[in-house]
Structures are given as C-alpha cells and as structure tokens.
Amino acid sequence: MKVKVLSRNPEDYVRETKLDIQRVPRNYDPTLHPFEVTREYTRALNATKLERVFAKPFLASLDGHRDGVNCMAKHAKNLSTLLSGSCDGEVKVWNLTKHECVRTLQAHEGFVRGMVVRYCGTSFFTVGDDKTIKQWKMEAPGYGEGEEPLITILGKTVFTGLDHHQKDGVFATCGQQVDIWDEQRSSPIRSFTWGVDSFSAVRFNPVETELLGSCASDRSIVLYDMRESTPLKKIIMTMRSNTLCWNPMEAYYFTCANEDYNLYTYDMRHLEKPVTVHMDHVSAVLDVDYSPTGREFVSASFDKTIRIFPKDRGHSREVYHTKRMQHVICIKWSADNKYILSGSDEMNIRLWKANPAEKLGVLAPREREAANYSQKLKEKFQHHPQIRRVAHHRHLPKSIYHQSKELRIMKEARRRKERNVRKHSKPGTVPVVSEKEKHVVTVVQ
C-alpha cells in the first residue's frame, strides 16, 4: 500500500526574525495567471513614465576658469581627479567629490591645446600655442616651492594634440606632422607625414597599444603603426573630422566626430564605408569619448548639446542641454561608467549622470531588484507604440528643434530630387548610393 505523506519544510514559509517580510508561496503556472502580460505592460508603461519623471541628469557645475575650457584629461588611477586646460593657458586640477579646484597653474602662453595623464598617474603632459611640451608632477608643490615643470621641450611648430601610450614611456603629438616622443629624449624618435599641412587630433589605441589614429585638415583620417616607418592607411571623407576616439573594448573600431553634424564608426579593417553613421546633432561635432564598457559614446557639439549614442545605433538615446551652456568643446566619460564631464565656451565644467534617471548612492537590495525588474520590463515592451513614444520623447531647445526639422526637410528634398533624376534617366546611369557610402571619398593604402 502506497502512503502519501505531507512533508513541509518550515524554512520555506517561516520567517527567521519578526522583522523579515512574510514569505508568500508563488505558483508560476501561466494558466493560473491569465492577465500576466497586461499587468506587466501596465507596469512597464508606469516604469517608463517614472523614468522620464526622475530623469535629472545635471549634477554640478565647476566654475573657476577665466576663459573657455579647451581640453580635459581623466586621471589614470584616481576617479575623483580631473584636469582641465583653458584658452588662457591655465591648467586646473579638480576634486570631483568635493566639487572644488585643488590646484591651479599657468602652464602656457595662449591656448592649452592638449593634455594627458601618464598611465601610472604620477605626472601629466600639456601642449600649448607657445610651441612647448611640458611635463608636470601630479602632486602639488610643497609650501614655499614654485610651480615648475619637470621637463620643457621646445618644438619647431605649434602642437594641436597630445596622447600618451598605455604601457610605455612614449607619447605622441600632432601639429604639422605626427611625432612620437620618448620621455627621456628632447627630440622625436619618429615623425609621420603624408602630404598634409596640419593635424587636429591624435589618439593611441587602448587595446592594440602600438596603433594610432589622427585627423588631418585635408578631410582625412590617417592610421599609423608605431613599429613601422610609414603610415598604414588614409581615409578621405567629404568633410573634415575634428577628433576620433577608439573603442576601449573592440580593438578595430573607432568613432570620429565630423564637421557635417554626424559621427562615423569605422572598422579599421574595412574603411571603404563606416559601420554606422550616427546623426542627430544640428551643428559640427567637436569631441567624442567612449564609455569604459565600449557599448556607448558621448559627443559634444557646437549646437550647445551633449548626446549619448549606443555604438551600433544611428540615433542618440539621450540629449543634455542647459540654458547657460554654450558651445561644448570637450567631453569625457568617467572611468566608473557613471558620469559625464563636459567643458564649454562659457568657462564651466559640468558634471552629468550617464544614466539620467539612475538613483545615486547605496541601493537597498529591494531597490536594486525593483530597478532591475522595471529595466527588464522596459526592454520587453520597448517596441509598443505608447511606451516607445514616452521613452523616446525629449524636450529640445526651440532653436535646435527648428534646425533639426529644417535639416529633415532638406534631406527629404535631396532624396526626392535624386529619385526623380533616376526615374527620368537611362537605367543604370544614376546608381543608388547608400547613406554610409556617400561620405567616404576614397581610401589610400
């Protein structure tokens, strides 16, 4: 004879202490929950609306510069330290947790064109309009000591950009040519030229550390390998690129900020056309920086806005602007993936949240679970029209709204004209050129 015994384990339903929450037995059988999807849809809609309600990205403004902020540098080891250089040659070191300037030094005469912190975090380099490269100690000088650079190198021409190698005591500058310098020597160990009169930016690849990329004034982007004596490849675009940034997780990908209001993500193995064209800005894009995860990047534009793009999407997920913020010249994404720092024309550095609705500080376990649950719901129902409309809507300043509308009309008019020309021409004489292929003139090996 078979005897069925009821067996209950008190651990499944008895609280450990009277302060605990009562345990509720759940049966996940879908037949017992007929309205599960409708309930989840309502929750997803509410979560999306609440996210827009709590989206307050602006955190703090760091003022103290007496001229426009021209460049910034993150500390290699310390999250709370930021360096900024302005158009009057002044360099400031900021403590981001206290929102205050801890050190000021007059580094150059004229603009500070570029600055970078050494990979070990003990010193930093600056270049300026006075044709000098200077290396400074990261610690402030002691009482009674003056601010003196460790090294000063006088160059032949004005330097416009600077970047440091990730592992070695080597740095690169650009101006009329791209120079590779050893920290121990006062002359460049290698110089690259390719029939270009000036370069605006140079960047080391953070993964393949021997590779560099630079943007030139003849609308080209040039790639170099430090181990070779000549440049690798050159891609010429229809308009000039201001700067570029390598993806810190995927060695072959880089994104360049262009004068034609777009950003282009390229795979350096296939430069014939960009992988993605990112369009949303209504004026020239001046700077770009990747998040440490490599999944997103942030761009700064002359149209007084900051936009955050997913690396594989054509349109931005966020746009940040304030009434006071003027042309945004430089942008940085903090190394902990939580904050964005922008430097603009009106002498201020602003601190923003990378995720505008994120709650800062320590989260209780239930808060974290609730946030994760609502995030999953939003992902599940993201394509439903109502949720999509709420999630995608962003309030824009009047001028930018009208400019983007005008650009849309112009683009549509161009497309229509092209269609009409194709319709009334001999078949095959007016080929269809995709948006990606339009912007690349040629690739030179």
Side-chain angles (χ1 to χ4, degrees):
M1 189 177 77
K2 209 183 231 180
V3 178
K4 284 186 180 176
V5 180
L6 283 177
S7 146
R8 288 203 182 121
N9 185 356
E11 284 180 9
D12 293 340
Y13 55 89
V14 177
R15 294 183 295 175
E16 284 184 15
T17 69
K18 64 179 183 179
L19 299 174
D20 284 356
I21 303 161
Q22 291 281 8
R23 289 194 176 182
V24 182
R26 297 279 314 268
N27 188 339
Y28 290 101
D29 183 7
T31 55
L32 299 175
H33 304 282
F35 296 114
E36 188 181 18
V37 175
T38 44
R39 263 201 303 273
E40 279 191 345
Y41 173 76
T42 309
R43 283 176 192 165
L45 184 59
N46 289 342
T48 310
K49 286 177 179 174
L50 283 173
E51 185 191 39
R52 297 314 312 142
V53 168
F54 290 122
K56 301 276 188 289
F58 180 70
L59 290 175
S61 171
L62 311 174
D63 55 344
H65 277 295
R66 290 171 296 186
D67 208 334
V69 183
N70 198 45
C71 56
M72 293 194 299
K74 296 181 282 192
H75 195 285
K77 302 287 183 192
N78 190 350
L79 281 175
S80 63
T81 304
L82 175 81
L83 294 92
S84 63
S86 70
C87 298
D88 60 355
E90 199 174 58
V91 169
K92 282 183 181 286
V93 182
W94 303 87
N95 184 330
L96 295 176
T97 45
K98 294 178 180 175
H99 300 168
E100 65 182 20
C101 174
V102 292
R103 184 181 170 198
T104 305
L105 48 114
Q106 188 64 40
H108 296 277
E109 291 171 20
F111 284 43
V112 180
R113 288 290 175 187
M115 60 195 317
V116 66
V117 178
R118 199 173 186 272
Y119 63 91
C120 60
T122 54
S123 63
F124 64 93
F125 294 83
T126 60
V127 293
D129 274 355
D130 53 3
K131 302 182 185 177
T132 56
I133 305 166
K134 293 183 181 180
Q135 183 182 5
W136 307 82
K137 256 189 174 171
M138 189 56 80
E139 291 98 39
Y143 181 73
E145 291 177 27
E147 285 279 11
E148 288 296 323
L150 294 170
I151 301 168
T152 304
I153 300 169
L154 185 63
K156 294 188 180 78
T157 57
V158 173
F159 299 107
T160 54
L162 171 73
D163 200 23
H164 202 284
H165 194 279
Q166 300 289 320
K167 294 172 184 163
D168 302 331
V170 174
F171 62 93
T173 60
C174 64
Q176 288 190 4
Q177 60 191 21
V178 172
D179 294 323
I180 311 293
W181 303 74
D182 192 306
E183 288 177 5
Q184 310 302 324
R185 297 175 62 173
S186 60
S187 57
I189 53 174
R190 189 166 297 130
S191 295
F192 295 107
T193 51
W194 197 341
V196 183
D197 53 355
S198 68
F199 292 88
S200 60
V202 62
R203 292 279 182 278
F204 272 101
N205 189 325
V207 185
E208 294 290 336
T209 52
E210 305 300 317
L211 295 178
L212 296 106
S214 71
C215 298
S217 60
D218 68 341
R219 316 190 311 274
S220 65
I221 298 163
V222 191
L223 302 178
Y224 312 90
D225 190 331
M226 272 206 323
R227 295 161 294 196
E228 304 209 359
S229 56
T230 54
L232 293 175
K233 289 178 182 175
K234 176 158 101 168
I235 171 173
I236 299 173
M237 300 181 70
T238 50
M239 286 187 83
R240 188 165 69 92
S241 294
N242 287 314
T243 183
L244 62 86
C245 188
W246 294 91
N247 190 321
M249 287 293 162
E250 298 175 49
Y252 299 113
Y253 288 84
F254 64 89
T255 299
C256 64
N258 206 283
E259 285 280 330
D260 65 0
Y261 315 168
N262 297 340
L263 295 111
Y264 301 93
T265 299
Y266 283 98
D267 182 343
M268 67 173 283
R269 296 164 296 183
H270 313 289
L271 289 172
E272 294 74 38
K273 61 179 183 181
V275 179
T276 320
V277 180
H278 311 274
M279 26 170 76
D280 262 344
H281 282 294
V282 295
S283 193
V285 190
L286 300 180
D287 201 7
V288 58
D289 193 32
Y290 263 94
S291 73
T293 58
R295 292 181 182 177
E296 294 180 316
F297 61 84
V298 61
S299 63
S301 172
F302 200 76
D303 63 13
K304 308 174 188 177
T305 62
I306 297 163
R307 285 184 184 267
I308 301 173
F309 292 86
K311 71 171 171 59
D312 48 4
R313 296 278 175 86
H315 293 283
S316 60
R317 73 159 170 91
E318 287 298 337
V319 54
Y320 295 162
H321 54 85
T322 67
K323 278 185 179 175
R324 292 184 179 184
M325 186 161 72
Q326 296 304 306
H327 314 305
V328 193
I329 296 171
C330 49
I331 197 92
K332 285 280 178 258
W333 197 310
S334 72
D336 62 349
N337 199 32
K338 279 182 181 288
Y339 305 103
I340 286 165
L341 294 137
S342 68
S344 48
D345 243 359
E346 81 309 334
M347 307 177 278
N348 272 10
I349 296 167
R350 288 182 174 82
L351 184 64
W352 310 82
K353 285 194 279 190
N355 188 1
E358 184 183 28
K359 187 181 176 187
L360 297 178
V362 181
L363 293 181
R366 287 180 71 194
E367 276 183 313
R368 202 179 302 114
E369 281 168 22
N372 292 343
Y373 176 57
S374 58
Q375 185 60 37
K376 279 290 170 208
L377 284 180
K378 281 182 279 189
E379 282 171 22
K380 183 177 176 181
F381 293 97
Q382 64 184 337
H383 299 297
H384 284 242
Q386 205 173 351
I387 289 177
R388 192 159 171 257
R389 187 182 64 81
V390 174
H392 284 213
H393 176 74
R394 294 290 178 276
H395 176 76
L396 288 170
K398 203 173 182 180
S399 59
I400 292 170
Y401 178 76
H402 287 306
Q403 266 178 293
S404 54
K405 200 173 171 184
E406 192 180 325
L407 282 170
R408 231 180 0 256
I409 293 165
M410 285 160 64
K411 207 175 277 183
E412 187 46 51
R414 264 187 236 117
R415 267 198 217 111
R416 195 167 55 243
K417 183 178 179 179
E418 209 175 284
R419 272 201 305 272
N420 291 342
V421 170
R422 195 175 297 115
K423 198 189 290 180
H424 295 94
S425 300
K426 195 177 174 183
T429 52
V430 184
V432 179
V433 182
S434 72
E435 185 64 41
K436 288 178 181 178
E437 290 164 336
K438 275 178 192 170
H439 306 283
V440 178
V441 178
T442 181
V443 178
V444 187
Q445 294 288 350

